[in-house]
Amino acid sequence: MLLATFDRTGFSMKKVLVASLNWGLGHATRDIPVIRELQRQGAEVLIASDGAALELLRKEFPGLKCFELPAWNITYPATGNLSWHLLRQLPKVIRAIRNEHRVLENLVTRENIDLVVSDSRMGCYSSTVKSVVLTHQLFIETPFLRKLVNRNNHRMLRKFSEVWIPDVPGENNLAGRLSWRKQIPFKHRYLGILSRFHTSPQHSETDVVAVISGPEPQRTAFENELLPKLEQSGLNCAVLLGKPGMGCEPVVSDKLTIYPHLPADEAEQLFRKAGTIISRSGYSTVMDLAVLGKKAILVPTPGQPEQEYLAEYCREKGWFVIEKQGEINLEQAFEQIGRSGVPGFTDNSLLEDAVMSFLF
């Protein structure tokens, strides 16, 4: 007979599976504060993902039980629009979603899981326990078939008990029209801005910290363009490659230090000491920058409509300087950086309330 486990408050401890999408590292990094809050409120957390995202979460939470989900194995174009390329892979994505749903249902039964939090893994909903999906893409940006794409997106989101949105409600939000409309056609809850980092000003000791991330082959193209420019700048620079499987030992040359990967606490200290951060315009990165309150130069991944939209939205707001991959001009960017700045988005009570409602 199974016996319930109780925390020190007397409540039965809930066993919660957090399933993170392995699409870059942004989903995994924004799940870190969700996992911490679940643990803080007494939940037993299990982790499921694949590839680099699973490796990152294993390093952040070495004591937690982890499971591997079927990989989506999405490929990315060297040139051209990502949306068209993804459309051709739609049958593969559908199969992957079905496979992960079967694996998820088996995990729920075998591991006696009470609740599921899925970060953008559309197959990680359960027919037997409450499951929520975490996404900021309520309204997907695409250059074609936008109504059809969003109709299907909403159909998948409705399979979950609730949609958790990592943003603040209202028009003055961080993700723009991706996460806000006056009418949202499903049950939802805003979590506030999710970041593995914390707000606390610190004196700048490094001129530039660059984060090289994103899907291949664009990640390597970004690295090959940016590293020589940083070396030629004469500035004290640190570069984070976002490769958790390659360890954390830095490679140092003159004023440039390159880290394959850093755990969250060490990455936070590095970013706090940065005068300027250079990175992609992925939403998880934008959330981190907003919490840290740092000046930044954003370089959207070519052909990724979401990143291109977020970059333009941030430019219009005057929050960050935007440069185009293939045409990065650091001198010009640094001339503009002084006029930029992002407002504070630091209310953590929305996440706390959502987790409490979820668990109890």
Side-chain angles (χ1 to χ4, degrees), residues 27-39:
H27 295 278
T29 59
R30 75 184 185 187
D31 291 338
I32 291 172
V34 176
I35 293 170
R36 288 172 178 164
E37 184 61 28
L38 285 164
Q39 292 179 313

Side-chain angles (χ1 to χ4, degrees), residues 122-137:
M122 294 304 181
C124 288
Y125 61 91
S126 174
S127 59
T128 57
V129 302
K130 184 177 180 181
S131 51
V132 300
V133 60
L134 193 157
T135 180
H136 64 283
Q137 291 206 63

Side-chain angles (χ1 to χ4, degrees), residues 20-25 28 47-59 66-73 121 242-246 261:
S20 183
L21 182 64
N22 180 34
W23 192 314
L25 295 177
I47 293 170
S49 188
D50 68 282
L54 182 59
E55 183 69 23
L56 185 149
L57 291 172
R58 275 186 172 136
K59 289 181 180 293
C66 294
F67 303 93
E68 188 159 0
L69 293 173
W72 286 25
N73 291 324
R121 296 200 82 124
K243 295 182 175 181
M246 295 181 61
H261 173 73

